[in-house]
Amino acid sequence: MSSPDTAWIDTDRLSGVGLRADLDGAVLTVTLDRPQRRNSQTPGQWYALGDLGASLPDEVRVVVVRGEGATFSAGIDTRLLGPDGVPGEDSVHDLMRGDDQHVLGTIDAYQRGFTWLGDPRFVSVAQVRGHAIGAGFQLALACDLRVVADDTLFCMKEPALGLVPDLAGTKPLVELVGYSRALEICATARFVGAEEARHLGLATAVVPGDDLEATTADLVEALLSSDAGAVRETKALLQSAGSLGLEDQRLRERQAQLRRFRALTARA
Ligand code: ACO
């Protein structure tokens, strides 16, 4: 039974698809919880994550995404790519029975399981150890920050399987590492280790595996030490900085600062 302040967390639905969500003050920790399948992912999880993101109250200031066990995520449950699929889940073969609009709409819903992590209302942190393959890499890319254990191996495996990365991972990858390196990483489907990830700017920090939780906790504490409203406005500003021209971005800065001045003076 959920307490009133966590009633928005549908624990039964999440556990039914191999997920957990634990709220501790202003921090929501989302755990991929299928270690026996190396936290491979399913559409049921993506729907549940999208709905969880849509129901998040303003009190949540940081979301940590992690995987149970030694592997962050081995990507899509590869059985979904074969004819037998996974009971209760959409397989690619099921999907292909629909028309193109149905397929496009379904992938859009899958992507929402990732894009909610960019919501400026909170800062999202991927805590990564072991493999982060395909959808696992894209889930880590959906987060604002990545704290990475030294055994981490990222891999955009999709092109090796005849697919493209379609879970909203291409944009953050290019923004983080640049077009050429992103293409090389995707087109070769090679592994990117933790040290290279730090060098490329993919990893916010790289630490020994034993220190991963403590380092994430320190980062979360530091994020919470700043003013909540200022962090939200700043995240939104930084998100638009890459695509807007200087004039439009300056306008956004002025508008955001006006809101901050109003909020601070109202508080004084
Ligand atoms: N989907 C479904 N089951 C998986 C997946 C997966 N993606 N990955 C691992 N498993 C299962 C294995 O079948 C195995 O099950 P079993 O115990 O019933 O035999 C179990 O998890 C353990 O897997 P191992 O391979 O033994 O684990 P190990 O730690 O040695 O290797 C690794 C981990 C490297 C992640 C390996 O499992 C792997 O390469 N998995 C496939 C990765 C992949 O191709 N993902 C798809 C990417 S594309 C996309 O995401 C869109």
Side-chain angles (χ1 to χ4, degrees), residues 19 30-32 39 41 45-46 49 65-67 72-73 111 113-117 124-128 132-146 154 156 158 167-169 172:
L19 292 170
V30 176
T31 301
L32 303 176
N39 299 322
Q41 300 173 31
Q45 291 182 333
W46 301 331
L49 286 173
V65 180
R66 61 184 291 279
F72 179 70
S73 171
Q111 290 169 333
F114 295 72
T115 53
W116 67 279
L117 290 158
S124 51
V125 180
Q127 179 185 287
V128 185
I133 301 180
F137 192 5
Q138 295 191 70
L139 187 61
L141 285 166
C143 293
D144 299 309
L145 309 174
R146 281 151 293 280
F154 293 107
M156 202 65 91
E158 286 83 345
L167 297 167

Side-chain angles (χ1 to χ4, degrees), residues 208-236:
D210 287 347
D211 298 341
L212 187 62
E213 277 79 15
T215 305
T216 308
D218 287 348
L219 174 62
V220 168
E221 191 183 331
L223 291 167
L224 292 176
S225 70
S226 293
D227 180 276
V231 172
R232 286 182 179 131
E233 290 277 17
T234 303
K235 176 170 168 179

Side-chain angles (χ1 to χ4, degrees), residues 47-96:
Y47 294 137
L49 286 173
D51 289 346
L52 179 72
S55 66
L56 235 57
D58 280 346
E59 289 67 34
V60 174
R61 294 187 53 195
V62 176
V63 175
V64 175
V65 180
R66 61 184 291 279
E68 191 60 49
T71 299
F72 179 70
S73 171
I76 193 171
D77 188 318
T78 46
R79 293 174 299 169
L80 293 165
L81 305 175
D84 297 335
V86 176
E89 292 282 357
D90 309 336
S91 71
V92 171
H93 283 67
D94 296 333
L95 208 52
M96 287 304 101

Side-chain angles (χ1 to χ4, degrees), residues 36-38 40 74-78 131 133-135 157-158 161:
Q36 71 284 4
R37 289 224 164 253
R38 299 299 183 266
S40 56
I76 193 171
D77 188 318
T78 46
H131 290 94
I133 301 180
K157 182 85 175 282
E158 286 83 345
L161 302 176

Side-chain angles (χ1 to χ4, degrees), residues 100-171:
D100 288 0
Q101 283 313 311
H102 170 75
V103 178
L104 294 174
T106 303
I107 298 174
D108 179 48
Y110 295 169
Q111 290 169 333
R112 289 177 201 279
F114 295 72
T115 53
W116 67 279
L117 290 158
D119 188 325
R121 289 186 302 154
F122 54 82
V123 178
S124 51
V125 180
Q127 179 185 287
V128 185
R129 63 168 80 246
H131 290 94
I133 301 180
F137 192 5
Q138 295 191 70
L139 187 61
L141 285 166
C143 293
D144 299 309
L145 309 174
R146 281 151 293 280
V147 181
V148 162
D150 53 9
D151 69 344
T152 295
L153 290 168
F154 293 107
C155 172
M156 202 65 91
K157 182 85 175 282
E158 286 83 345
L161 302 176
L163 303 170
V164 299
D166 68 339
L167 297 167
T170 56
K171 189 171 170 63

